[in-house]
Amino acid sequence: YAGLVREGLAEKLPLQAYRAWFDTLPAAVRSRIVARWGEPEKSGMVQGRGDGAWFPIPRLQVGNVVFMPQPPRGDGEKDKERSLYHDTKVPVNHHYLAVYLWARQQFGAHALVHYGTHGTQEWMPGKERAPWVHDDTLLPIGDTPVIYPYIVDDVGEAVQAKRRGRALIISHQTPPFSPAGLHNELNDLHHLVHEWQSLTEGAVRDKTADAILRAAGKLNFEKDVGVTAAQARADFPPFLNKLHDWLHDLALANQPQGMHTFGKTQEDRFRIGTVMQMLGKGYADAAFRFSRTHPEWFSCPPPPPGEGLGVREQRLHSANPASPSPTLPRLRGREQTECRPAKLEADEAEEVFVVDYKDIIHSIPYRLMERVLKEGWALPADAEPKLAAMLDQARAYHAALDAAPEMTAFLDALEGRHIPAGYGGDPIRNPDSLPTGRNLYGFDPSRVPTRAAHEAGREAVDKLIAAYREKHGKAPEKLAFTLWSVETMRHFGVLEAQAFHALGVRPQWDAGGRVNGIELIPREALGRPRIDVVLSATGLYRDHFPNVMRWLAEAVVLAANANGADEADNAVRQASATLKKRLESSGMKPEEAAKWADVRIFSNESGVYGAGIEDAILSSDTWTDEAKLANLYLSRLQYAYGADQKDWGKKLPNLNLYAENLKGVQAAALARSSNLYGMLTTDDPFQYLGGIALAVRHLTGKSPELYIANLREADNPKAETASQFLARELRTRQFHPGWIKGMQKEGYSGTTEMLDSINNFWGWQVTAPDIVRADQWQEFADVYVRDKYKLGMKAYFEHANPAALAQMIERMLEAVRKDYWQADAATVRELASRYRDLAIRRDVRSDNAAFREFVARHAAPAIAVAGYGLDSPAAAAEPAAPTPQTPPPATPDIPDITGMRLDKVVATPPAPPAHLLGLLLLGLTAGVGAWRQGRA
């Protein structure tokens, strides 16, 4: 740290200055912090001794602006940092407070900017609402204003930053989106499918079927669609239909294109792709029909004089009528000769996007929108009114995707000006979330579920029941749902409606659309037995939707007490009766046992957040079996929230009631309504849905079926198996060259997204191994280490972040070491050798001693292996910090999306800011993944 200070990359906060401030805090606050961390002088981060002792404050100062990493929740000692996942009430530590104190007092910041979704300050212990100024969540920031740029698609956590972090939110866009399209072998397979469909019966058709089976088997597509290779061959036509539908599903999936840069509008290519997705499938259908009557709109060179031209182009033509064709605007500087005609060969509308991903910009929907939005063409009079209305809407969406308001709002906030409020959400599902640059707010919780959400929820749970019945031959008797605030704020209560309808209860609304009661659906009208439910709610959901939890708790009581003559199959009543006997046998009085037996909602203790297993799972050397993880999960989420609100947040002293309820769970569901956030984007899905699977397997020896309520299309809710949802996400993102290229253009930040994906995949492997496959682990190795698609992965990681690749390899090898992935010996040897090479050349280190020993045993001898950078005498002799390699060349079909790179510059440190005009940019926590990887 002294070296960083000498180099101008850190400051010193004298321990005496910190101690003087700390001693002004109330005695109760000081004693709570000292009880966990000791006196300030004992902090693991204190440097020097006696009167010369100081806290290091890492920072990069640029004039009146200072960039700082948000300090860790530990206090400089690894054992304390790692032990945090066992402790639900860890108070703020001395170094954390010292960093903020330096910012506020010694630097004299006028404002703190928390940059990057989901930091730590707003999640620390303290009151859920209206925190005390000396609660841990507010103690670091004092009275300094906090400005917080936040992704528009995460309203729930943005509200948390407002409610508990006292932040002013400035919304920013998600990445742009595009249909994923197909690539490489998937294109070949799709062509084979169409070839088979065009052939008559005979030897050629049979050979084509064999080719399809071989190709699908090589890609493990039978597993994707849920059949065995033998079943596919024995019943080929139905398999082919499933395969064809799956290829279409992959091609039409929404794929994020790189990342969004705050305040920077995406170039038109990406804006057009996002607008197409916002308009939905109906636009592609209408564009397809238009192409059949107006093929000239999709041609190159342009159409004959005067045909299909907008007003501007007709004027240009009139000025020179002798010209054989009008002069059309060029596309971003490209000559007209570079224009490729749109592909018109598709014989149905859905096929227009089932093409190679590089050809999406030559598709019919894209070309039509490009003509209208970029070139100013006007639709002819005979165009469908529906298409004209869609393109009018497209103009509005295109304008709303201007990101300039983000920076304007940010600067206005720094000047103390009013920031207009706005509701957020996924811009594809909810275009009203645009434009960004607004102060996000949450909607009225009393409207959950809305009438529309209730209808969608009824449909969704019926589909889930049907999917379970198809596999198991009968309907489920007990379901588990995991409730998230961020999801509810997107779908307005669809998952809650599923729980209500499973119980056979429906909400009642007043004239203003607010839920003001619930009523039991008669058994005859319900048409099936009542299904028991268990609900796990995140700590954020507990804070934001206590009213909905109350209605759900009362719904359980209603269902459990439905005792008509036709209720003999009432699973809710049966479960409550069983629990009541269990509680009475433990010594509880009958009336108390009856009350607790009807509890089905569980969450964290009040003031505590998180399932607590994400860091534990990543610390794979701290556990040898899953029982420790399951017990950690059950201990964190055992706090009950039943119909009697006096008992909210309590747990039973001698019995884990949550565990008792989970023992009968047959299936569990999680909602996904965001087009950006999937199963691998963050660690939350495996913590909560995976946590249920982990706990049920620990308690009963059998994992429940896992389902995703896919609500990405608001008018078409689906119930999908978690395994298929995960497989689609991998195929259209992590294993898709288009997604990878987009991440490569982001430099360092792209590597953290890739690393987060494999870490979260590992989380699913541990919590729900039934939905993870060995071939998917192998694909990670083939794509990212062996560079299956020839994307220059080695050069990319070497240039942007070699440690990220090393950590990805470590996660793969940990899957092997802990017997989750039975990789072949050659793959293990190659991965271990590649890791050792990175460790030697790039000074990469792992705290996992078992992993280090595993690498030492399996790495190849020191020989050169061309193309993979494996250990060799030459490699070992290379300097620790070689000259960075040239990054892989930009692919011509994707424009550069450059990230930021910080290089050390030898210069005189700038003078301290005058008159306290400093602006502090605090907490480059690198959006979702970078901060989480850092703490892991």
Side-chain angles (χ1 to χ4, degrees):
Y1 292 111
L4 291 176
V5 172
R6 287 193 300 271
E7 294 172 5
L9 297 176
E11 292 280 352
K12 294 181 179 181
L13 178 70
L15 177 61
Q16 290 180 341
Y18 174 80
R19 183 83 218 198
W21 171 81
F22 185 73
D23 288 344
T24 66
L25 301 179
V29 176
R30 296 198 311 271
S31 62
R32 176 170 52 82
I33 295 173
V34 169
R36 177 63 176 83
W37 300 109
E39 297 291 343
E41 293 77 9
K42 301 295 184 182
S43 168
M45 294 297 291
V46 168
Q47 307 293 302
R49 298 180 180 178
D51 293 342
W54 50 279
F55 280 104
I57 312 294
R59 65 99 183 93
L60 176 68
Q61 186 167 340
V62 183
N64 287 352
V65 178
V66 162
F67 297 87
M68 305 173 70
Q70 195 166 53
R73 291 282 280 112
D75 198 29
E77 299 179 21
K78 290 179 182 177
D79 59 334
K80 289 184 178 180
E81 184 71 23
R82 302 187 82 175
S83 70
L84 290 183
Y85 72 69
H86 291 296
D87 197 326
T88 61
K89 296 183 179 179
V90 180
V92 61
N93 66 69
H94 294 297
H95 182 246
Y96 198 105
L97 292 171
V99 169
Y100 277 87
L101 182 66
W102 178 88
R104 292 188 289 114
Q105 291 190 359
Q106 191 161 317
F107 176 68
H110 278 178
L112 305 171
V113 179
H114 283 167
Y115 201 89
T117 300
H118 199 322
T120 55
Q121 173 249 334
E122 66 267 26
W123 298 93
M124 286 195 286
K127 292 170 63 180
E128 297 170 4
R129 304 172 189 84
W132 181 34
V133 68
H134 290 118
D135 276 348
D136 285 4
T137 184
L138 294 185
L139 188 57
I141 61 176
D143 60 0
T144 308
V146 176
I147 301 170
Y148 208 149
Y150 223 93
I151 190 166
V152 71
D153 192 18
D154 197 352
V155 183
E157 291 183 339
V159 170
Q160 177 80 342
K162 292 163 70 79
R163 174 177 287 177
R164 301 188 79 244
R166 196 172 47 70
L168 171 72
I169 300 298
I170 307 292
S171 67
H172 68 76
Q173 292 179 23
T174 65
F177 291 90
S178 172
L182 300 178
H183 62 89
N184 302 81
E185 309 101 315
L186 277 64
N187 281 314
D188 298 337
L189 182 57
H190 187 241
H191 292 321
L192 282 173
V193 170
H194 276 255
E195 184 177 331
W196 185 90
Q197 291 175 334
S198 67
L199 294 169
T200 58
E201 292 187 10
V204 176
R205 200 183 201 207
D206 292 343
K207 288 182 178 179
T208 304
D210 287 338
I212 291 171
L213 289 167
R214 288 195 303 272
K218 183 179 179 181
L219 293 167
N220 293 288
F221 266 40
E222 300 107 327
K223 297 174 183 176
D224 282 6
V225 300
V227 302
T228 66
Q231 289 170 334
R233 183 169 292 278
D235 208 1
F236 182 74
F239 165 70
L240 188 78
N241 290 336
K242 286 184 178 182
L243 177 64
H244 199 191
D245 289 344
W246 181 240
L247 287 167
H248 279 216
D249 199 16
L250 297 179
L252 296 172
N254 268 317
Q255 184 183 86
Q257 303 289 303
M259 298 180 185
H260 174 66
T261 300
F262 185 81
K264 181 180 179 181
T265 301
Q266 297 285 350
E267 69 173 79
D268 274 337
R269 177 199 165 176
F270 290 103
R271 288 173 80 182
I272 289 175
T274 304
V275 170
M276 286 195 307
Q277 300 305 86
M278 293 167 75
L279 291 176
K281 185 177 181 294
Y283 167 68
D285 294 344
F288 176 78
R289 291 192 296 272
F290 181 77
S291 71
R292 289 319 187 234
T293 56
H294 295 81
E296 72 278 1
W297 272 62
F298 307 90
S299 63
C300 287
E307 291 189 20
L309 302 180
V311 175
R312 177 187 176 200
E313 284 71 35
Q314 290 181 21
R315 267 202 307 268
L316 289 170
H317 177 58
S318 299
N320 185 14
S323 173
S325 64
T327 303
L328 296 179
R330 293 173 180 172
L331 307 182
R332 309 289 289 185
R334 291 185 302 178
E335 297 293 336
Q336 291 178 34
T337 54
E338 296 176 337
C339 179
R340 288 174 57 184
K343 292 179 175 291
L344 300 177
E345 296 85 359
D347 56 7
E348 58 180 273
E350 191 172 271
E351 290 281 352
V352 298
F353 286 143
V354 190
V355 295
D356 189 280
Y357 73 98
K358 295 188 290 293
D359 288 330
I360 294 294
I361 60 173
H362 307 299
S363 66
I364 291 168
Y366 183 93
R367 178 57 55 81
L368 174 59
M369 194 166 290
E370 186 179 50
R371 294 290 200 221
V372 172
L373 296 183
K374 289 181 62 176
E375 300 172 38
W377 290 29
L379 284 180
D382 62 348
E384 288 183 36
K386 181 179 178 181
L387 177 61
M390 285 182 172
L391 289 171
D392 285 341
Q393 189 67 69
R395 293 184 183 93
Y397 290 162
H398 188 266
L401 284 167
D402 180 10
E406 297 172 4
M407 189 59 72
T408 300
F410 179 69
L411 296 176
D412 284 348
L414 291 177
E415 292 184 353
R417 299 180 183 275
H418 171 70
I419 305 302
Y423 189 71
D426 177 354
I428 303 298
R429 193 176 190 272
N430 176 27
D432 289 340
S433 63
L434 299 173
T436 45
R438 297 187 289 184
N439 189 4
L440 295 179
Y441 64 86
F443 72 99
D444 185 356
S446 68
R447 300 177 185 274
V448 176
T450 64
R451 287 187 173 91
H454 181 253
E455 290 304 312
R458 288 179 55 192
E459 182 180 348
V461 80
D462 286 342
K463 289 179 178 178
L464 190 157
I465 294 168
Y468 185 92
R469 182 185 289 114
E470 182 179 358
K471 182 172 182 179
H472 297 276
K474 61 178 182 178
E477 296 179 352
K478 192 163 195 171
L479 299 173
F481 296 95
T482 173
L483 302 174
W484 292 13
S485 175
V486 291
E487 279 292 331
T488 296
M489 289 188 181
R490 294 185 189 116
H491 59 59
F492 306 127
V494 175
L495 197 70
E496 290 82 349
Q498 292 185 60
F500 278 125
H501 193 57
L503 291 165
V505 175
R506 59 186 164 221
Q508 297 174 309
W509 296 270
D510 64 16
R514 298 172 181 84
V515 177
N516 63 0
I518 55 175
E519 64 178 348
L520 195 71
I521 302 173
R523 172 67 172 79
E524 182 179 2
L526 185 62
R528 58 163 173 77
R530 301 184 194 280
I531 298 173
D532 194 23
V533 299
V534 184
L535 300 163
S536 75
T538 67
L540 194 58
Y541 189 94
R542 172 204 63 210
D543 293 359
H544 291 170
F545 296 101
N547 60 306
V548 185
M549 292 171 66
R550 178 170 65 88
W551 291 127
L552 287 166
E554 292 183 8
V556 173
V557 175
L558 270 181
N561 287 278
N563 55 5
D566 56 354
E567 294 280 358
D569 53 9
N570 185 339
V572 189
R573 189 175 67 188
Q574 293 167 1
S576 290
T578 301
L579 277 171
K580 183 174 181 292
K581 290 180 181 178
R582 176 76 174 88
L583 293 168
E584 287 177 349
S585 68
S586 68
M588 189 177 288
K589 294 180 180 180
E591 59 273 18
E592 280 290 298
K595 178 181 68 174
W596 287 98
D598 286 342
V599 173
R600 296 293 192 279
I601 306 176
F602 299 88
S603 184
N604 301 101
E605 185 179 6
S606 180
V608 177
Y609 302 87
I613 60 173
E614 72 279 19
D615 288 333
I617 287 174
L618 288 175
S619 300
S620 49
D621 58 331
T622 64
W623 48 272
T624 56
D625 60 59
E626 297 167 0
K628 179 178 180 180
L629 302 172
N631 288 325
L632 174 60
Y633 170 83
L634 289 168
S635 69
R636 288 290 293 267
L637 290 176
Q638 65 175 312
Y639 296 88
Y641 295 81
D644 188 347
Q645 291 183 269
K646 297 193 305 295
D647 294 325
W648 272 27
K650 293 181 180 179
K651 64 176 182 178
L652 298 182
N654 302 316
L655 184 71
N656 188 316
L657 191 59
Y658 184 40
E660 294 299 314
N661 272 279
L662 286 177
K663 287 179 180 177
V665 166
Q666 298 161 300
L670 163 74
R672 290 274 76 175
S673 54
S674 168
N675 285 280
L676 175 60
Y677 295 103
M679 291 178 72
L680 300 178
T681 323
T682 71
D683 54 23
D684 293 318
F686 81 71
Q687 280 197 76
Y688 289 97
L689 183 61
I692 290 173
L694 172 70
V696 172
R697 188 169 66 255
H698 169 68
L699 294 166
T700 68
K702 183 180 179 181
S703 296
E705 297 288 338
L706 297 185
Y707 293 93
I708 302 297
N710 185 344
L711 309 178
R712 286 171 168 169
E713 296 179 50
D715 57 352
N716 184 27
K718 303 174 186 175
E720 299 182 348
T721 64
S723 59
Q724 189 168 57
F725 195 94
L726 176 61
R728 181 194 299 110
E729 184 169 343
L730 288 166
R731 297 280 189 191
T732 58
R733 297 190 186 186
Q734 287 75 24
F735 302 157
H736 192 296
W739 184 87
I740 295 171
K741 288 178 182 179
M743 289 300 151
Q744 286 180 321
K745 303 293 175 51
E746 300 293 345
Y748 175 90
S749 296
T751 68
T752 65
E753 290 292 311
M754 297 172 183
L755 176 57
D756 281 345
S757 294
I758 197 168
N759 280 340
N760 295 328
F761 185 74
W762 164 254
W764 282 110
Q765 173 69 82
V766 175
T767 58
D770 292 347
I771 74 168
V772 173
R773 307 196 313 248
D775 64 274
Q776 292 165 340
W777 278 113
Q778 186 65 52
E779 192 74 357
F780 269 111
D782 290 345
V783 171
Y784 290 93
V785 181
R786 291 173 169 166
D787 199 8
K788 173 180 178 178
Y789 296 120
K790 308 301 181 188
L791 299 176
M793 299 303 294
K794 182 176 184 293
Y796 164 63
F797 279 109
E798 287 282 350
H799 176 77
N801 187 5
L805 179 59
Q807 291 175 64
M808 292 176 73
I809 294 173
E810 179 176 355
R811 194 55 58 203
M812 296 179 213
L813 289 175
E814 278 292 88
V816 177
R817 184 181 73 82
K818 295 182 77 72
D819 293 326
Y820 287 107
W821 174 27
Q822 306 300 318
D824 62 82
T827 298
V828 175
R829 179 187 178 102
E830 183 175 329
L831 292 174
S833 301
R834 184 71 174 273
Y835 181 89
R836 189 173 65 182
D837 169 60
L838 287 166
I840 292 171
R841 294 190 300 103
R842 293 295 194 172
D843 195 26
V844 174
R845 301 176 185 178
S846 171
D847 293 332
N848 187 334
F851 167 74
R852 294 197 304 270
E853 189 275 333
F854 184 85
V855 169
R857 282 192 291 112
H858 290 87
I863 57 174
V865 180
Y868 292 103
L870 302 183
D871 263 2
S872 66
E878 288 186 44
T883 303
Q885 298 184 26
T886 302
T891 47
D893 55 290
I894 299 181
D896 287 333
I897 312 171
T898 56
M900 296 183 66
R901 175 182 173 133
L902 297 180
D903 290 314
K904 178 181 173 182
V905 177
V906 179
T908 303
H915 306 297
L916 297 182
L917 292 178
L919 159 67
L920 175 66
L921 293 176
L922 180 63
L924 282 172
T925 50
V928 185
W931 169 71
R932 297 181 182 209
Q933 178 56 30
R935 65 177 179 162

